[in-house]
Amino acid sequence: SGGGASGKGPGGGAPPAKKGKAAPKPPSPPADAAQPPPPGQKPPPAKPAAPTVKFLSADDSNSCASPVIARKLIEDGRYVNPELVRTYEFLNYYTFAYPPPADGPVGITAELRALGGDSYDLQIAVRGPERARAEMLPLNATLVLDTSGSMVGAPYALARGFIAGFVAGLRPEERVALVSFNRSAKVVLPPTRRADLDVKRLEQQLAEELAPNDITDLEQGLALAYETAGKGYKAGHANRVILISDGATNAGKKGKALIAKHAEDSERQGIYLTGIALGDGFDDSLMNTVTDRGRGAYVFLDRPAEVGRLLEPRTFVATFDVAVKDVRLKMVMPPGWAMKEFHGEQIADTAAEIVPQYLSPNDQMIYHMTISCPLPPAERDAGVFTFEAEYRPIPGAAAVAKRETAVAAMLGDSPTAAKGGAIVRYAEALKKIRYPFADHREANLAALAAAVTEITAVNARLNDPELTEVLELLGKYETVARHGEQWATARDQDSDDPAAVLGIDANSVRKASVVGAKPALAVKALTRLRASTRLLPLEGYKFLAVGSGPVGNPSPSGSGMLADGTTKDPAPAFLGDKPLRRDGRRVYDCHQVVIELTAPPSARSFSFDFNFFSAEYPQYVNANYNDTFYAILEAPSTNGGKPTNISFDPKHNAIEVDNNYFEGEFHPIPNTGTGFDRHGSTGWLRTTWPVRGGEQLRLTFSVHDEGDAVFDSLAVLDNFRWHEFAAVGTTDPLN
């Protein structure tokens, strides 16, 4: 400080003293400070450094959704958001041949693998006992099935496949109940012994009576499920609530914390929650939170084969059984060792900061980290690590499994340690990939290449089928990182035609047009909205933006007026099946995209995705500045062909500033960088609507300002699809 002078004179010593004053004396060293040795004597040996104590968590051993989600995205040619990658769940998912404990319910294995230089991988497995399906406590399961509109199609087919396989695998004395939920919840099957179950009747209900429709109130579904499980509670059984859902909830006021509280309260009775997620619009954050509080597994189903894997007897036991509770690992590293990277869920210097986790039979918690030691080999190898796994048997008092082992005994290159390191490199590489791909191509390719090189070297020795699959996935992701997300059937890579951008098959399109005062400014095909990196096209290379002001306006809360006057509110005759009263209001800056279509002969429904942004939010909610998005359908099968708004919120309001979705505490909304950062959006929503095969229809997407033309609104649209499954007609969140 003081003008940037170095404080040293020409000779490098202390600066000269000011005239008239003696130079200040250097301060005396503290009495206990180390003194230099007298001339000719060696310095005294340094005091040894203290050991390093860490407390660790690796999450419940049977939670493993993250790697399946990543696999699905990679195989779909999509970006894997790093926020979805939980490395410890990758270690949970893949197979490791650790031996069960020889004495007691918990065993500890520790392995150290040299990486070069002074760096090492340390992998610790806290292993539960081996348990056959026949040895498992009898199950008393309450299945909670999401039958909301977002479950229609493939997600519901996977859910039905799981329920059929689950019921088929129950022992005669085991019990099952079924609760379904969408806007409301109901008990479909009260707690029933497998021996007394009418399986054909249950299959008929799943196929015919529980077709997905309406909105999602997850809170009601879980509340009724826990009530049902509580009434049917059986001592001496494994009491479980099994949630089967995409986790995308759009009703209820209490939020994630109170939804999870149902699980937390019931945990005192030993009713544990397992979450089975599926679908494209799943809410990973919500499902992870709920199952974490519910002390059970969180898994993801992306294909029928994954259903089969989950129902395989050893995996079934690991998923739905618990060996010990409240596991927390204490690790003491000898002097000279330091932590570089920890790949688990939690790490802390005190036990109180770590949330204890649950360990399943046939399974292990794997704690993986990279540590360093610069000591000479002899000193390094003599060091002793101590591991203490706290746990609580069921039933029983708290206990500790302890292991002390010298570095020399841990050091090597065992197959399990090598595979663990390879799996960690895979997950950590996914975290390094940045979007947009074109802006980060070289760094992304370098990260993937480094992971491929290391995993290939490990697999050359292990010849492990799971590592082979990992390498295939990395190869596919390398193609995506190099060339961008690719869709063989997408028509919008080189086209800005609205129907192509929406993803509509050209054979279905009769005509597409744009209506409004200045369509060149208010309707655009975009690869992203301004600087946003999280708002991505859901189909193809672009999405369609329809605004009441200039699309991409850096200040949508400024004056974006495009038209000289007003137009009549384009409100249709119906909202769903309810007639709308026209009041003749005038609106500003109305712009529309109109598409005339012919439904394919096999079509029974269609869907499209959209996200509505408004600078009116939140300042002008309920203030008569209700900017609105309409999706107006004219089709013979809907209200006799009369114009019908088919996109609306759970309260049957149009998608507008006053609508329920802006209050979306349940799903993340990627507004950052869009220009609407401090305003609001609905997040991605999906409207699914019934149609008759072969009929001709007109679909109009419309956005306008109400009250004035000052603050703009914008709808982003994408991913139109025809479906061969029936639909009731709903709008539900995607996440």
Side-chain angles (χ1 to χ4, degrees):
S1 62
S6 68
K8 292 188 177 180
K18 293 184 179 178
K19 291 183 179 178
K21 291 189 179 180
K25 294 182 179 180
S28 300
D32 60 349
Q35 300 295 323
Q41 292 188 14
K42 293 183 179 180
K47 293 182 179 179
T52 300
V53 179
K54 295 291 181 183
F55 294 87
L56 313 173
S57 165
D59 199 6
D60 294 326
S61 65
N62 51 17
S63 286
C64 50
S66 182
V68 185
I69 295 168
R71 180 179 69 197
K72 182 182 190 308
L73 291 170
I74 291 172
E75 292 189 337
D76 288 347
R78 304 307 304 264
Y79 176 53
V80 181
N81 192 318
E83 294 176 11
L84 295 172
V85 180
R86 295 179 290 274
T87 302
Y88 45 88
E89 289 190 14
F90 282 63
L91 291 166
N92 285 347
Y93 180 77
Y94 291 102
T95 306
F96 291 89
Y98 282 108
D103 184 19
V106 171
I108 302 174
T109 301
E111 301 170 304
L112 198 61
R113 182 168 174 260
L115 300 179
D118 63 359
S119 294
Y120 302 82
D121 270 353
L122 174 59
Q123 184 163 296
I124 309 146
V126 176
R127 177 65 152 83
E130 195 71 11
R131 186 173 296 168
R133 174 69 175 93
E135 299 171 321
M136 181 180 172
L137 286 175
L139 264 174
N140 182 29
T142 300
L143 306 177
V144 200
L145 176 62
D146 183 350
T147 57
S148 65
S150 59
M151 288 283 290
V152 74
Y156 191 66
L158 285 172
R160 286 178 57 192
F162 166 75
I163 293 173
F166 181 88
V167 169
L170 293 178
R171 307 195 300 251
E173 74 276 14
E174 293 181 317
R175 295 157 60 91
V176 64
L178 177 62
V179 170
S180 70
F181 69 95
N182 42 43
R183 182 186 296 268
S184 58
K186 65 179 180 180
V187 177
V188 177
L189 176 72
T192 304
R193 292 176 69 248
R194 172 64 179 86
D196 302 326
L197 181 62
D198 185 342
V199 176
K200 289 187 177 180
R201 170 61 181 150
L202 179 61
E203 291 175 350
Q204 182 182 24
Q205 288 177 294
L206 290 169
E208 300 173 6
E209 300 174 23
L210 299 178
N213 68 84
D214 214 336
I215 65 169
T216 317
D217 193 335
L218 178 57
E219 186 179 315
Q220 280 203 51
L222 279 179
L224 182 57
Y226 276 103
E227 179 184 330
T228 303
K231 289 178 180 178
Y233 182 86
K234 297 286 289 184
H237 283 57
N239 294 274
R240 300 289 181 267
V241 169
I242 302 172
L243 171 64
I244 309 161
S245 173
D246 61 4
T249 184
N250 57 15
K253 294 292 186 183
K254 297 181 181 179
K256 295 180 183 177
L258 287 186
I259 289 176
K261 187 72 162 59
H262 289 302
E264 192 174 69
D265 288 343
S266 295
E267 191 272 334
R268 297 169 190 162
Q269 303 181 52
I271 302 174
Y272 304 133
L273 175 71
T274 297
I276 298 177
L278 23 69
D280 293 324
F282 64 95
D283 186 338
D284 178 70
S285 173
L286 179 61
M287 291 293 280
N288 194 39
T289 299
V290 169
T291 54
D292 196 47
R293 299 285 179 87
R295 314 312 314 184
Y298 168 30
V299 300
F300 189 87
L301 303 179
D302 64 335
R303 59 181 75 171
E306 192 65 27
V307 176
R309 179 186 181 277
L310 179 61
L311 296 175
E312 183 275 326
R314 287 193 79 258
T315 307
F316 186 97
V317 172
T319 303
F320 298 109
D321 203 358
V322 176
V324 296
K325 305 195 306 182
D326 299 337
V327 178
R328 180 167 47 199
L329 183 66
K330 176 184 178 182
M331 177 181 71
V332 182
M333 293 192 294
W337 290 84
M339 181 74 66
K340 294 180 71 174
E341 295 179 15
F342 179 60
H343 304 119
E345 185 175 33
Q346 290 182 302
I347 182 169
D349 295 329
T350 60
E353 297 177 65
I354 299 298
V355 178
Q357 304 294 335
Y358 284 28
L359 176 62
S360 297
N362 308 343
D363 210 350
Q364 58 270 317
M365 294 174 175
I366 295 181
Y367 306 79
H368 192 281
M369 66 209 77
T370 301
I371 57 180
S372 63
C373 179
L375 297 175
E379 294 182 49
R380 176 201 67 190
D381 292 354
V384 174
F385 279 70
T386 301
F387 306 100
E388 296 180 6
E390 305 172 22
Y391 66 93
R392 184 181 297 275
I394 307 175
V400 176
K402 183 176 180 179
R403 181 176 180 189
E404 291 185 350
T405 180
V407 169
M410 293 191 294
L411 195 57
D413 194 18
S414 75
T416 45
K419 182 174 181 178
I423 295 298
V424 166
R425 302 305 179 260
Y426 167 45
E428 293 297 307
L430 297 182
K431 292 180 183 178
K432 295 176 183 177
I433 307 306
R434 294 293 176 262
Y435 194 93
F437 289 116
D439 296 348
H440 305 277
R441 182 175 289 111
E442 296 309 315
N444 288 345
L445 292 175
L448 292 172
V452 167
T453 297
E454 183 165 347
I455 298 169
T456 299
V458 171
N459 202 35
R461 180 166 64 91
L462 301 185
N463 193 25
D464 185 289
E466 292 181 333
L467 291 185
T468 299
E469 181 189 63
V470 164
L471 287 168
E472 291 171 355
L473 289 171
L474 286 170
K476 293 178 181 178
Y477 205 31
E478 188 271 341
T479 300
V480 177
R482 184 179 300 278
H483 300 292
E485 293 169 301
Q486 302 288 311
W487 292 266
T489 59
R491 300 198 296 128
D492 61 351
Q493 186 168 19
D494 302 310
S495 173
D496 286 349
D497 174 75
V501 173
L502 290 173
I504 306 177
D505 181 358
N507 295 325
S508 301
V509 181
R510 301 199 319 274
K511 183 180 178 182
S513 57
V514 178
V515 178
K518 295 186 178 178
L521 295 177
V523 180
K524 291 186 178 180
L526 302 173
T527 56
R528 65 174 123 165
L529 183 58
R530 290 186 53 76
S532 172
T533 58
R534 298 186 65 199
L535 182 70
L536 311 178
L538 299 182
E539 181 278 336
Y541 303 88
K542 301 169 187 172
F543 47 62
L544 191 67
V546 182
S548 64
V551 170
N553 189 346
S555 181
S557 58
S559 178
M561 187 169 183
L562 295 177
D564 294 333
T566 62
T567 57
K568 188 178 179 180
D569 184 352
F574 283 82
L575 192 154
D577 59 355
K578 300 181 184 300
L580 276 179
R581 187 183 65 193
R582 291 175 175 268
D583 58 10
R585 80 182 76 181
R586 308 293 291 182
V587 300
Y588 297 82
D589 285 339
C590 182
H591 287 86
Q592 299 179 323
V593 173
V594 183
I595 304 178
E596 297 179 18
L597 301 164
T598 300
S602 61
R604 299 178 67 192
S605 63
F606 67 88
S607 66
F608 59 86
D609 303 335
F610 68 95
N611 188 347
F612 179 63
F613 295 81
S614 183
E616 303 281 5
Y617 188 86
Q619 186 174 357
Y620 295 103
V621 171
N622 298 321
N624 297 319
Y625 296 101
N626 208 10
D627 295 0
T628 302
F629 165 76
Y630 293 134
I632 303 170
L633 175 67
E634 297 167 80
S637 60
T638 297
N639 295 320
K642 294 179 180 178
T644 302
N645 182 26
I646 62 173
S647 295
F648 42 85
D649 76 0
K651 298 178 181 178
H652 230 72
N653 298 320
I655 303 300
E656 54 196 19
V657 175
D658 294 348
N659 87 85
N660 176 262
Y661 288 114
F662 276 105
E663 305 296 331
E665 61 212 298
F666 300 104
H667 56 283
I669 307 222
N671 295 336
T672 304
T674 61
F676 293 87
D677 305 43
R678 291 179 291 177
H679 303 293
S681 82
T682 60
W684 281 109
L685 306 173
R686 175 170 292 170
T687 291
T688 306
W689 202 260
V691 72
R692 279 203 299 258
E695 71 176 336
Q696 294 187 349
L697 55 99
R698 180 196 301 261
L699 188 57
T700 301
F701 299 109
S702 178
V703 177
H704 65 257
D705 280 339
E706 289 186 18
D708 61 32
V710 177
F711 284 22
D712 296 332
S713 296
L714 173 83
V716 171
L717 300 119
D718 202 15
N719 198 30
F720 182 99
R721 288 285 183 267
W722 299 109
H723 303 293
E724 296 184 5
F725 54 75
V728 175
T730 58
T731 295
D732 228 21
L734 301 175
N735 294 276

